[in-house]
Amino acid sequence: MNGHKNWNHWNVSLWINNDEGLYRTAKRYAQRYGKAEGARLLMRDYFAGQSTPDGAPYSYSSVIAAIREI
């Protein structure tokens, strides 16, 4: 899991950091609102009730873990 807390965090990070559109959106939110608030707003605006194509549910903790790397 490459240093991530669990498979879900790793998978969400994999998708956010390797999909150009998701990466740019997450980076914009992190820069504009800070990482914690940016993750909260990403959950509200994009990821609520969604999962990655591999079936990992997006959660606040997985999204904030992913954008910490940005």
Side-chain angles (χ1 to χ4, degrees), residues 46-63:
Y46 289 96
F47 299 133
Q50 302 294 315
S51 297
T52 69
D54 297 320
Y58 288 100
S59 66
Y60 173 77
S61 65
S62 65
V63 171

Side-chain angles (χ1 to χ4, degrees), residues 11-24:
N11 193 264
V12 167
S13 181
L14 181 74
W15 282 98
I16 289 176
N17 287 291
N18 289 289
D19 177 281
E20 186 175 359
L22 289 177
Y23 177 80
R24 287 178 188 236

Side-chain angles (χ1 to χ4, degrees), residues 20-54:
E20 186 175 359
L22 289 177
Y23 177 80
R24 287 178 188 236
T25 299
K27 185 174 181 179
R28 185 175 65 246
Y29 272 63
Q31 289 174 336
R32 187 173 294 161
Y33 303 108
K35 293 183 179 185
E37 182 68 4
R40 188 187 71 75
L41 293 171
L42 279 167
M43 285 300 303
R44 182 195 70 190
D45 296 346
Y46 289 96
F47 299 133
Q50 302 294 315
S51 297
T52 69
D54 297 320

